[in-house]
Amino acid sequence: MFSSTHKKRTKLFTNKKLSPIALILIFIVNLVIYNINQENEAIKKIRSFTDLTPYSINYIIINTSSAISSFTDYFINIDKLNKKITQLETELLLLRKDLSSNNYIQHENKELLTHLSIKKNYFKNAIVARLLPINYAGKAHHLEIDKGLTQGVKPGLITIDQGGITGQIINSYDNSSEIQTIFSKKFYITGYIQNDEKSQQVLIQGNQNHLEIKHFNTKESIAIGDIVYTSGDNNLIPKGIKIGFVSDILSSEIENFSKIIIQPLSKPYSHNFLMVLLP
Amino acid sequence: MNIVNLKLTFKLFLLTLFLLLLISSFAMHLYINSFILSLSIFLYFSLKIASIYKILIIGLIVDAVLGYQFGLTNIAFLLLIFVDILISKFLSINENELFLYHLSLLLVGSIIYSWLILGQDFFTLHLIINFFTSAIYFILLNRYATR
């Protein structure tokens, strides 16, 4: 059977929509674009923005991975730094605590040295006692010390600091004692006022934040600033320990008598150590 | 506007661009134009899905991305169209021979590119490498990049 194949001839350039004139125009425009100076700033900017050749895939991948690792590092470091900050803050707190403790110890040592020096120079038979931060009795103007009957501390003895008398032992136990400070209303001590003329025996009583002589004969000479000393009892309280100075002279309800206010020279509440004067 | 054609054009362009950047990362800048030449001939002559304007836009983008003088790729392609018009005035071929004709266009395009970009030094060597690279890419496009 005879068969024939029909060969379809086809035009090569098939896009008939575009006229040759338009094509030539496009070519000319393109040629102009190609030949103009492309070194001006605007085109350079476009080129630097769009040119990916220096940032080829390898470069982009490396940069991306580097960016990701930097990003991860940033967060890891932030976490580490936060932990470090917390750790350092804790260390700082501990160091501050240590420093405070050291300061306290330093202060305590200084005070102890002062007391020991006083003891060495003036009161050979005194003992230095540490104040305990407790008050079992719960009373106002009462202190506890860490020396008791074992160390020879017994009721009636007085305690002093570098200023003068601070209080009196009222109760003693084996290893601790209770002190009634000079500000207690139950604190009584006999003393004398030393002035230029003569010494005058008086009874002094504590009264909250000062000491006072309730009835002082107005005929006796007294002046503000006169120092008041202990008169001693020849047994437990030595003579000549400073009590305070006359700060005010008030009138009394009883005629011919006045009320004397004495400001103590000691500071019972600002010490860590006190000296107990043994007989 | 046929959206399917547009999508295919866009996908093939992105694929070619990716290949160009991949090759440029191995510092083989001399031969990367062959890919865009193959793509242009494939889209315009073989598949006939891209208008000349799309090809011109693609050419401008390629110039920008690869850091060439603006207009270089389009000049090569427009010269190729002129060659095509010129040939079409004198001869006609059947459909079976179209593939060979496109390969011959690739050869002409490679000559134009080599002449425009590379100049006289190692012209033949670069022409051969460019032609074979573009031919391989064109064959692969013809085989796998279908609608």
Side-chain angles (χ1 to χ4, degrees):
Chain A
M1 193 178 209
F2 179 77
S3 66
S4 65
T5 52
H6 172 68
K7 281 191 176 177
K8 188 183 173 186
R9 310 305 291 185
T10 176
K11 282 278 183 186
L12 299 176
F13 187 66
T14 51
N15 199 339
K16 289 173 184 170
K17 287 176 187 174
L18 193 72
S19 70
I21 297 165
L23 198 64
I24 290 164
L25 275 175
I26 290 169
F27 185 75
I28 290 166
V29 170
N30 207 67
L31 213 56
V32 169
I33 292 172
Y34 182 68
N35 283 306
I36 58 165
N37 181 21
Q38 297 193 1
E39 294 302 313
N40 64 54
E41 285 304 312
I43 293 178
K44 267 188 179 175
K45 271 186 185 174
I46 296 170
R47 193 177 288 288
S48 65
F49 182 70
T50 51
D51 190 358
L52 289 178
T53 323
Y55 312 102
S56 54
I57 300 290
N58 255 357
Y59 201 83
I60 291 166
I61 290 169
I62 289 164
N63 265 6
T64 314
S65 60
S66 158
I68 290 168
S69 78
S70 305
F71 199 64
T72 321
D73 281 355
Y74 172 76
F75 280 103
I76 289 169
N77 282 339
I78 277 253
D79 198 33
K80 276 183 185 170
L81 285 174
N82 278 335
K83 279 180 184 169
K84 190 77 183 168
I85 286 169
T86 317
Q87 188 193 339
L88 286 174
E89 276 175 351
T90 316
E91 278 176 17
L92 181 67
L93 278 175
L94 287 172
L95 284 173
R96 274 185 182 160
K97 192 186 162 195
D98 284 353
L99 185 66
S100 164
S101 172
N102 281 346
N103 280 341
Y104 178 75
I105 289 167
Q106 205 175 356
H107 174 73
E108 220 177 47
N109 279 344
K110 205 174 166 185
E111 198 184 326
L112 191 59
L113 278 173
T114 314
H115 281 93
L116 287 172
S117 162
I118 293 169
K119 174 181 167 348
K120 191 180 171 186
N121 294 328
Y122 303 103
F123 306 103
K124 305 269 186 214
N125 55 347
I127 56 165
V128 179
R130 179 191 284 276
L131 279 171
L132 300 172
I134 49 172
N135 181 359
Y136 291 121
K139 298 169 194 167
H141 306 303
H142 280 65
L143 298 171
E144 296 267 340
I145 54 169
D146 67 344
K147 298 286 188 293
L149 293 169
T150 317
Q151 290 83 21
V153 177
K154 54 187 179 182
L157 293 175
I158 58 163
T159 56
I160 59 164
D161 65 3
Q162 57 267 50
I165 185 166
T166 55
Q168 192 169 24
I169 308 286
I170 51 167
N171 284 313
S172 284
Y173 311 101
D174 285 346
N175 286 307
S176 68
S177 298
E178 197 180 332
I179 300 171
Q180 191 175 52
T181 69
I182 50 175
F183 296 123
S184 171
K185 280 189 173 180
K186 289 180 183 173
F187 179 82
Y188 289 93
I189 193 162
T190 53
Y192 63 91
I193 300 166
Q194 184 70 48
N195 56 27
D196 295 338
E197 295 174 12
K198 58 176 181 178
S199 60
Q200 179 70 33
Q201 290 286 332
V202 286
L203 179 65
I204 302 154
Q205 187 189 356
N207 190 4
Q208 297 302 331
N209 56 359
H210 60 268
L211 294 145
E212 62 184 29
I213 303 165
K214 286 198 170 172
H215 306 293
F216 186 80
N217 196 335
T218 48
K219 288 174 185 170
E220 302 293 339
S221 65
I222 190 166
I224 289 174
D226 285 350
I227 305 289
V228 185
Y229 299 90
T230 56
S231 56
D233 59 358
N234 295 324
N235 185 18
L236 298 174
I237 304 169
K239 186 183 176 184
I241 306 290
K242 281 181 183 175
I243 298 172
F245 63 93
V246 176
S247 66
D248 210 352
I249 302 167
L250 307 172
S251 58
S252 172
E253 306 94 37
I254 305 167
E255 202 177 341
N256 297 327
F257 284 93
S258 54
K259 188 177 174 182
I260 310 295
I261 305 295
I262 296 165
Q263 283 300 331
L265 289 164
S266 62
K267 292 173 181 172
Y269 299 116
S270 57
H271 297 291
N272 295 308
F273 297 96
L274 290 174
M275 276 189 293
V276 182
L277 295 183
L278 297 178
Chain B
M1 185 184 288
N2 191 335
I3 193 78
V4 181
N5 287 348
L6 190 68
K7 272 185 181 174
L8 183 64
T9 308
F10 187 65
K11 278 180 193 170
L12 289 176
F13 173 60
L14 282 185
L15 172 73
T16 312
L17 206 61
F18 175 75
L19 288 172
L20 292 181
L21 287 173
L22 198 64
I23 291 167
S24 76
S25 64
F26 297 101
M28 293 169 74
H29 298 278
L30 294 177
Y31 313 114
I32 54 180
N33 308 85
S34 48
F35 285 82
I36 206 71
L37 182 70
S38 302
L39 181 75
S40 303
I41 291 173
F42 178 71
L43 292 176
Y44 191 76
F45 292 109
S46 183
L47 276 189
K48 299 187 183 83
I49 59 168
S51 67
I52 192 163
Y53 302 110
K54 282 179 199 165
I55 300 291
L56 292 179
I57 290 165
I58 286 173
L60 280 175
I61 294 170
V62 168
D63 286 340
V65 169
L66 300 185
Y68 291 141
Q69 185 98 341
F70 281 109
L72 178 86
T73 310
N74 289 341
I75 283 178
F77 183 69
L78 287 169
L79 282 174
L80 210 57
I81 290 175
F82 283 130
V83 169
D84 176 67
I85 292 169
L86 199 67
I87 293 171
S88 68
K89 296 290 177 193
F90 299 107
L91 56 100
S92 60
I93 55 173
N94 65 30
E95 283 182 348
N96 298 334
E97 294 159 350
L98 265 177
F99 181 71
L100 287 174
Y101 171 63
H102 290 150
L103 282 181
S104 66
L105 274 182
L106 271 178
L107 180 61
V108 176
S110 296
I111 291 167
I112 296 167
Y113 260 131
S114 303
W115 173 63
L116 279 175
I117 299 168
L118 305 172
Q120 296 299 316
D121 300 336
F122 303 106
F123 180 80
T124 318
L125 177 68
H126 291 148
L127 174 65
I128 291 166
I129 295 172
N130 254 331
F131 173 66
F132 276 102
T133 326
S134 55
I136 289 164
Y137 189 53
F138 185 72
I139 290 164
L140 289 172
L141 282 174
N142 262 305
R143 191 174 173 87
Y144 297 110
T146 52
R147 266 175 279 194

